[in-house]
Every structure is written in C-alpha cells, then in structure tokens.
Amino acid sequence: MDTAAQGVAGAPSERPVSVPRADGRVDEFQVFYDPTATRGLPFVWHRAQAAPGGSYGEWERVSAGTVGPKGNFVTAVENAAGGLELFWLDHGGFCHTVQGPEGGPWSAPESFGLQPSPYHGFLVLFKRSNGTLIAMASSGKPDRSMESRTQLSSDGVWLPPAHMGKVTEESVGLSQPDTVTEFADGRLKVTAREWNRDRYWQITEEAPDTGVPRGWWPARWQLCATPRCD
C-alpha cells in the first residue's frame, strides 16, 4: 500500500481490461502511474458504463494497493451475485478486492494466496456454465505444478487453494493456463505451456469441482503431442 499517494491518474500502463456485465454494461480497469506516489509503482483505476452502450463514468482509483513491480497485471470478472472480483499482481503474489452488485466502495485489498514462481505467468479466471468461478495459476510448490481456487455460485466464498496435479518430468515448470475448456458434463480441460520451452501439457478434471468433496484433479499432467493438445 502507498497511502501517501494522492490518487492522481497520470500516465497509463498497458491497455484497459474490459469486463462485460450480465445486464449489457461494460466495466473497465486501467493501470495508471501517479505522479504523487512515493514508491513509483502504479495503481488500478475503474470506470463503468451507466447503461449498455452508453458513456463511461469518470476513472476512480480502486485502492492504495500498488501494482508490480515486475508486471502490471490486472484481471477481473463479474461474480454470480452481480458484483466484481478484481485481481492484480503485487510483488509476485495476487491482491484481491470485491465491489458489490450495487457498486460503491471496494473491499480492503487482501492476498489471494496463489503465487507462481518468477516468470511463470499470471492468474487466469474462468466462469463455469453454472456461474461458479475458478482461478488458476502455476505453482512454485514442490508437490504441484498448478493450483486453483473455486468460488461457488451458491455462496460467493473462495475455497482454499486446491492441488491441480504435477507434470510427469522433473525440473519442468508450467506457465499460466493457455486454454480452459468446459465439456458438456461440466468437467474442465486445461492446457499450459512450459514457462521456458515450446512444449504443452494438459489435464482434465475427473469430475466437476462442486466444492464438496475436493480433489477432482488427477495427480499428473500429460504431455501434448501438438501445441493445440489435440
């Protein structure tokens, strides 16, 4: 946190992130540098359409939580209740804050608990057809190559990080998910590239994760024969 920064939107960094809403509106998030910042790191700002296809409101800073320094990554999604879930990279881990369905102030930023190894990518969000959210990122833990957290649409609570299996070769690390596909039966297939090599791996849920019980991912990832994992 840089509480001394005054909240001045200076030079932008990266392109805006757009989040379509269920009612047809679009929200946008943008990283801006603040000339009054004491640490030199940027912040996340937010604006929203008042009506579908309408004009956007003014940019407003989400919080005093800084972004970076190794990557100005931001992602967001609308949850099942109609609120917004926002994530950004802060010193190798991900910060998380929520805005309610009616708008208004954001919750205090807190650590989301997923932390990839350096250069192993960012956080990927996927909304299942039933409204459940899943967040995935590669893992630096020795017993797993990727982790996920699930937010059940029934209660909006993020469950603790879940083991997403390990690649079958030693000293091989994955980047963030490259593709996420939902099958007709609700299971997810995830593909990911090695973080420093042009090879791809895949893993498929044994059954859709409903939160209880846990542990629906197989123990091992499978090496793909092609980049598309056909």
Side-chain angles (χ1 to χ4, degrees):
M1 305 288 285
D2 188 347
T3 56
Q6 299 174 21
V8 178
S13 173
E14 310 298 333
R15 302 177 65 178
V17 173
S18 296
V19 180
R21 309 298 296 271
D23 61 8
R25 295 179 299 119
V26 176
D27 284 55
E28 286 191 339
F29 297 90
Q30 173 73 64
V31 175
F32 288 101
Y33 285 92
D34 186 337
T36 69
T38 58
R39 299 184 182 181
L41 295 176
F43 305 86
V44 185
W45 293 61
H46 166 250
R47 67 178 183 179
Q49 287 180 324
S55 59
Y56 286 92
E58 297 294 324
W59 286 109
E60 296 183 353
R61 193 179 71 168
V62 172
S63 77
T66 56
V67 184
K70 292 184 177 181
N72 293 344
F73 168 79
V74 173
T75 190
V77 67
E78 185 178 41
N79 58 33
L84 288 171
E85 307 269 345
L86 172 66
F87 304 83
W88 67 91
L89 186 67
D90 175 41
H91 291 84
F94 299 106
C95 284
H96 172 231
T97 182
V98 180
Q99 185 186 58
E102 304 304 322
W106 293 81
S107 64
E110 59 183 4
S111 173
F112 191 61
L114 300 182
Q115 188 164 352
S117 297
Y119 310 111
H120 284 225
F122 300 120
L123 183 77
V124 170
L125 299 170
F126 184 84
K127 183 180 289 188
R128 297 176 187 264
S129 57
N130 65 359
T132 293
L133 297 177
I134 183 169
M136 293 168 281
S138 64
S139 174
K141 296 179 180 178
D143 66 333
R144 63 197 64 181
S145 297
M146 191 169 291
E147 289 185 294
S148 66
R149 292 192 67 179
T150 293
Q151 184 193 79
L152 302 181
S153 56
S154 58
D155 58 15
V157 175
W158 285 99
L159 298 172
H163 188 298
M164 275 188 70
K166 187 173 176 61
V167 296
T168 55
E169 295 183 15
E170 294 295 327
S171 303
V172 170
L174 297 178
S175 186
Q176 68 194 49
D178 191 63
T179 64
V180 184
T181 305
E182 184 177 24
F183 296 136
D185 62 4
R187 292 178 302 131
L188 298 183
K189 174 185 174 181
V190 179
T191 70
R193 181 183 179 274
E194 290 184 30
W195 76 275
N196 63 344
R197 187 177 178 184
D198 196 22
R199 294 200 307 176
Y200 291 80
W201 296 75
Q202 64 179 335
I203 194 168
T204 300
E205 281 183 306
E206 295 177 350
D209 189 351
T210 58
V212 181
R214 305 298 305 282
W216 293 112
W217 295 99
R220 299 294 180 185
W221 288 68
Q222 301 298 318
L223 182 63
C224 298
T226 68
R228 296 183 59 182
C229 293
D230 295 329

